[in-house]
Amino acid sequence: MRALLALQFALIATSNTLQIPLQLQGQPVGSRAAARRHWINRKVCNWLGINSQAHLPEDAEGDWRKRAQDEQEIRLGQILGHLAGSSKHNDQANGSRIIREIPEYVLEYTPLVHLYSGEQFWPGDIGEHLEHVTPLLNYTPVKYSTQSMNLTNLDDLNLYNHGRFVYLTSEDNVEDRPDWLGGEKNIPDIPEEEDGFFAWVIKVIKQMLPIGTIAPPMQGGRSDAPAVLIVVEKDEGVIDAFWFYFYSYNLGNLVFNVRFGNHVGDWEHCLVRFQQGEPKFVFVSEHFFGQAYSYDAIEKYGKRPVIYSAEGTHAMYATPGGHPYVLPFGLLQDTTDRGPLWDPALNALTYTYDYKSDSLRASNLTPEAPIEWFYFNGHWGDKAYPLDDSRQYSFVGQHHYVDGPLGPRFKHLGRRKVCQGPFEDACTIHNWLPPERLRYWEGPGPGEEREDWNGDERDPPGLDYGSRGGTL
């Protein structure tokens, strides 16, 4: 035992002299040294026969030697537990899970996301997004502090009418399609072992797999745009792991060759619900509703759920192909396929959240992750342009451009059922992947939000948009 620990720590200590790829799993973009330590940790876990996704996570920025003594003891205990073959669910069994600690099984079952092969608007970095927008209230810029707007002070905008009607508005004409909207640099990298001929073989195999097949483990690529993981502990041993995906632009779908529902800023999400440490259900968001599946029903690579992001709208689905909707005036369809495979666990901001007290905390995986952005009450994109704006048009009450969305805080984190929406609404759990059926859609709402949700079914308890900020 001591020899094995000595081997791991010796390799970590000497990793600065090794030429190791920068692949930082489960962390935001950090230093090369942190990535080397993580790579060594993963390789040692592989050599010792330990699950490569359940190994010890480390800070992206800080030096592990500078951790507080109590955290060092906790992590040393985790390593000893791994090497001794202890259960991955010890925290659940003992009822002593640390408030900032994310259970290892959450990462083990991180959904892999197939982005659309012909996508024009790839994942976006929420920090970079803020560099290209100006906060507007009633189409008028607000007077911001002398400090530049960033993820650590975004909630300061709640001073303006509680932030509810503040819109982070693009400084560029979005119809000029500036590079930051497209996010092409954030296309997931092809993993080293899946490059070239082998990548082609894997792609052919995946295309031939019947829907719902449990495929051999496939390694997803890392995006420079961090995903957001919010873990919410609930009653009766339930843990909800919300994975949020941000895009700087949502391209609406075509109806009769006319496009509706464009907006700046786009938050999509999926939810994996665990009970007593075991995955039970997966929910995928589709516009302002979605679909829920049993874990057994969902497609998997190994044991990780596989989901699909639709072209342009980024709505999430459980299968590739066409996903039609019926509008009052025509047919709308989202399209998904087995495009670039994104592994959000390779780069994520990770948090725990107490929905009863509306308290977000940076997790043990990314302890330096900012939290202030989460409490911004406003919209992550432009307000719908008025009809006298040359970029805007309307038909049968539907608009070419709609409001940008609210953030993850307003995505029903306190839900009791797996589905989002009012508690009294039915929540159907699919135990298989059925053929696609037409579903009626009410049309793109403001930022694709449901304004009729009440209480902790939509908003954090007691939220009156006056919290964390006054009024000017």
Side-chain angles (χ1 to χ4, degrees):
M1 179 71 69
R2 293 181 179 176
L4 294 176
L5 286 174
L7 171 63
Q8 186 172 26
F9 290 146
L11 286 169
I12 293 172
T14 58
S15 63
N16 287 336
T17 63
L18 301 177
Q19 297 299 315
I20 297 170
L22 182 59
Q23 295 180 356
L24 188 58
Q25 182 172 355
Q27 308 289 346
V29 179
S31 67
R32 184 170 297 272
R36 286 171 176 151
R37 289 194 297 272
H38 180 87
W39 185 89
I40 285 290
N41 190 15
R42 185 170 70 249
K43 293 303 181 185
V44 170
C45 286
N46 288 338
W47 295 338
L48 299 180
I50 300 169
N51 187 302
S52 63
Q53 292 187 25
H55 62 76
L56 169 66
E58 301 199 45
D59 282 341
E61 301 291 343
D63 191 326
W64 64 274
R65 298 179 181 86
K66 296 180 181 179
R67 289 184 182 277
Q69 183 65 32
D70 58 341
E71 288 200 24
Q72 290 178 349
E73 292 174 356
I74 290 170
R75 296 187 183 284
L76 181 58
Q78 289 176 336
I79 296 174
L80 290 170
H82 280 311
L83 296 175
S86 62
S87 168
K88 66 183 179 181
H89 306 313
N90 279 342
D91 285 339
Q92 285 286 349
N94 298 331
S96 60
R97 196 171 68 82
I98 300 171
I99 197 167
R100 294 178 183 270
E101 185 172 352
I102 290 178
E104 294 165 354
Y105 56 78
V106 168
L107 295 182
E108 292 177 21
Y109 293 96
T110 301
L112 295 165
V113 183
H114 272 296
L115 302 171
Y116 186 69
S117 58
E119 184 60 68
Q120 301 178 57
F121 300 97
W122 302 93
D125 183 323
I126 56 175
E128 182 181 0
H129 184 79
L130 297 183
E131 299 174 3
H132 300 279
V133 296
T134 296
L136 299 188
L137 180 64
N138 295 325
Y139 300 107
T140 303
V142 301
K143 294 181 180 179
Y144 206 70
S145 66
T146 55
Q147 184 181 7
S148 62
M149 183 172 61
N150 57 61
L151 296 177
T152 66
N153 61 16
L154 191 62
D155 60 336
D156 288 351
L157 292 172
N158 294 342
L159 292 171
Y160 298 89
N161 289 342
H162 311 304
R164 181 65 173 85
F165 302 104
V166 174
Y167 292 80
L168 303 181
T169 305
S170 171
E171 297 173 353
D172 300 294
N173 183 350
V174 296
E175 298 203 335
D176 291 338
R177 299 293 190 261
D179 290 343
W180 66 272
L181 276 186
E184 186 174 353
K185 67 181 182 180
N186 298 323
I187 298 174
D189 296 333
I190 298 176
E192 182 178 337
E193 57 267 37
E194 289 192 18
D195 202 1
F197 177 75
F198 183 71
W200 177 82
V201 172
I202 291 296
K203 182 177 180 180
V204 171
I205 292 174
K206 289 192 293 185
Q207 295 289 353
M208 296 172 61
L209 290 173
I211 292 175
T213 299
I214 300 179
M218 304 289 185
Q219 184 175 357
R222 180 188 184 279
S223 172
D224 284 342
V228 174
L229 169 63
I230 300 178
V231 174
V232 185
E233 184 172 5
K234 298 179 179 175
D235 297 333
E236 300 179 352
V238 170
I239 297 286
D240 280 350
F242 290 88
W243 286 94
F244 286 94
Y245 318 104
F246 181 77
Y247 306 81
S248 283
Y249 193 73
N250 178 103
L251 183 67
N253 274 312
L254 291 171
V255 179
F256 298 142
N257 208 32
V258 179
R259 195 175 297 280
F260 294 95
N262 292 355
H263 56 83
V264 175
D266 189 19
W267 282 104
E268 303 293 342
H269 76 277
C270 78
L271 160 66
V272 181
R273 172 162 289 185
F274 299 87
Q275 189 162 23
Q276 305 301 336
E278 297 296 333
K280 296 297 183 181
F281 307 105
V282 177
F283 174 84
V284 290
S285 65
E286 302 168 9
H287 305 287
F288 58 72
F289 44 83
Q291 298 286 323
Y293 299 87
S294 66
Y295 171 77
D296 290 339
I298 205 79
E299 182 181 359
K300 304 171 200 61
Y301 291 159
K303 61 182 178 182
R304 298 178 65 175
V306 178
I307 58 179
Y308 298 83
S309 175
E311 177 187 15
T313 69
H314 312 120
M316 310 301 296
Y317 294 92
T319 58
H323 308 275
Y325 294 88
V326 176
L327 292 170
F329 53 91
L331 186 66
L332 178 148
Q333 175 170 288
D334 279 326
T335 304
T336 60
D337 67 9
R338 298 183 190 273
L341 186 61
W342 179 18
D343 185 351
L346 296 178
N347 185 16
L349 301 171
T350 63
Y351 304 90
T352 61
Y353 179 65
D354 183 344
Y355 69 96
K356 295 178 181 179
S357 62
D358 190 22
S359 299
L360 184 78
R361 298 176 177 87
S363 83
N364 61 309
L365 302 181
T366 56
E368 303 302 321
I371 65 171
E372 291 80 5
W373 64 270
F374 176 81
Y375 290 99
F376 169 54
N377 289 335
H379 296 255
W380 284 76
D382 298 25
K383 183 176 177 58
Y385 305 136
L387 288 175
D388 61 2
D389 189 308
S390 61
R391 297 170 292 185
Q392 183 66 290
Y393 55 77
S394 177
F395 179 68
V396 195
Q398 309 303 314
H399 291 78
H400 182 45
Y401 284 98
V402 299
D403 292 349
L406 301 175
R409 189 173 176 225
F410 303 96
K411 300 297 185 181
H412 197 186
L413 300 180
R415 67 185 73 175
R416 284 167 279 178
K417 296 185 294 187
V418 178
C419 304
Q420 66 177 345
F423 181 70
E424 61 272 13
D425 283 5
C427 179
T428 301
I429 306 295
H430 299 285
N431 290 316
W432 60 87
L433 296 179
E436 286 298 320
R437 295 174 294 176
L438 292 180
R439 294 190 295 274
Y440 285 89
W441 188 41
E442 300 174 9
E448 301 173 346
E449 297 294 330
R450 288 292 295 268
E451 300 297 338
D452 57 340
W453 297 351
N454 297 313
D456 67 1
E457 290 303 312
R458 174 176 182 271
D459 300 336
L463 180 66
D464 59 1
Y465 297 105
S467 59
R468 299 180 67 86
T471 305
L472 292 181

